[in-house]
């Protein structure tokens, strides 16, 4: 697929943004290809975790300004039409998503990295909001995602002062799960993705949904919502296997069903 490479390692699907000449800068074609690729991977029941990464020296350098005209005169409508489907597909993916950040994740690329479930970053990685440098506001979900990941004050610090965030600092404040040598980025991302792929997929994704919903719910409402979803998930094959394995004092073998 143009702009996005698809590969597979057992039960792990690997999606690579493949426009290295522009540091994988966002265009309607690239984001459209990403949304379609996530959809294709999601239809394969053998896929139980995804990795998203970038080809070349960077993960994603943000919006490709040369392609901005393709969004049309109504920028909001254009972004929702061409970009939102890829972000939505990541947030609602039926399997866990690991983002392997190589090099820079700037502007919208920073937003894209946060749209997955966990970030593994190479030592060469860096993060920058960049918007205030050109007198714009953060977009593509940054103002929703970043404060929830690192807190309001730290998020505003990055957005208002426009200072690059080193990978070490990103790890320290909880944005990044793991920092690894560049040469081992995919190896470590695969290790994490395989671990997730071996888990009870429905329960993992339902947990992600509950965490997402909790941002807008009262304690009592979330208390009830957890039990409602639990009543559904506990009927899954993996939940039955998990209970049996516990009783039989053995390691559970989950199938993602």
């Amino acid at each position: 697929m143009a702009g996005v490479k698809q590969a597979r390692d057992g039960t792990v699907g690997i999606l690579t943004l493949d426009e290295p000449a522009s540091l994988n800068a966002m265009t309607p074609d690239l984001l459209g290809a990403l949304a379609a690729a996530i959809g294709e991977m999601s239809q394969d029941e053998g896929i139980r975790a995804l990795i998203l990464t970038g080809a070349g020296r960077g993960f994603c350098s943000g919006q490709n300004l040369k392609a901005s005209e393709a969004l049309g005169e109504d920028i909001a409508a254009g972004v929702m039409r061409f970009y939102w489907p890829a972000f939505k597909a990541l947030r609602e993916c039926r399997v866990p998503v690991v983002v392997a950040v190589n090099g820079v994740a700037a502007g919208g690329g920073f937003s894209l990295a946060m749209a997955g479930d966990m970030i593994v970053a190479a030592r060469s990685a860096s993060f920058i909001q960049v918007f205030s440098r050109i007198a714009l506001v953060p977009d593509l979900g940054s103002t929703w995602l970043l404060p929830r990941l690192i807190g309001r004050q730290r998020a505003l610090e990055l957005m208002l002062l426009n200072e690059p965030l080193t990978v070490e600092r990103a790890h320290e404040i909880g944005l990044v799960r793991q920092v690894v040598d560049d040469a081992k980025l995919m190896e470590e991302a695969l290790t994490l993705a395989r671990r997730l792929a071996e888990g009870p997929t429905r329960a993992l994704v339902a947990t992600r949904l509950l965490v997402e919903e909790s941002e807008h719910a009262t304690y009592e409402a979330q208390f009830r919502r957890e039990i409602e979803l639990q009543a559904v998930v506990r009927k899954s094959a993996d939940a039955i296997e998990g209970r049996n394995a516990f009783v039989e004092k053995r390691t559970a073998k989950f199938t993602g069903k």
Side-chain angles (χ1 to χ4, degrees), residues 30-171:
L30 180 63
L31 271 291
L34 177 58
I38 296 170
E40 290 179 15
M41 287 284 189
S42 295
Q43 291 174 10
D44 185 343
E45 293 187 357
I47 297 293
R48 295 177 58 193
L50 282 183
I51 293 175
L52 174 63
T53 191
R57 298 179 297 108
F59 173 70
C60 178
S61 58
Q63 163 75 351
N64 187 327
L65 297 180
K66 294 180 180 179
S68 60
E69 292 183 1
L71 297 175
E73 293 185 6
D74 187 336
I75 297 297
V79 168
M80 295 307 292
R81 176 184 176 187
F82 294 112
Y83 289 2
W84 170 242
F87 284 81
K88 183 175 187 289
L90 284 172
R91 294 299 288 185
E92 298 179 2
C93 188
R94 69 162 188 84
V95 299
V97 179
V98 174
V99 181
V101 176
N102 51 308
V104 67
F110 194 159
S111 302
L112 187 64
M114 292 188 289
D117 296 320
M118 299 182 194
I119 298 175
V120 177
R123 296 195 188 281
S124 66
S126 63
F127 303 82
I128 186 167
Q129 280 288 294
V130 90
F131 299 99
S132 65
R133 179 181 295 176
I134 52 177
L136 295 177
V137 299
D139 60 19
L140 302 186
S142 275
T143 60
W144 195 93
L145 292 164
L146 193 55
R148 286 164 171 77
L149 288 171
I150 65 173
R152 179 181 184 275
Q153 180 170 289
R154 284 172 172 158
L156 284 173
E157 178 184 335
L158 292 176
M159 292 172 175
L160 302 185
L161 299 179
N162 195 36
E163 296 174 344
L165 180 64
T166 66
V167 72
E168 291 80 11
R169 179 61 174 160
H171 182 258

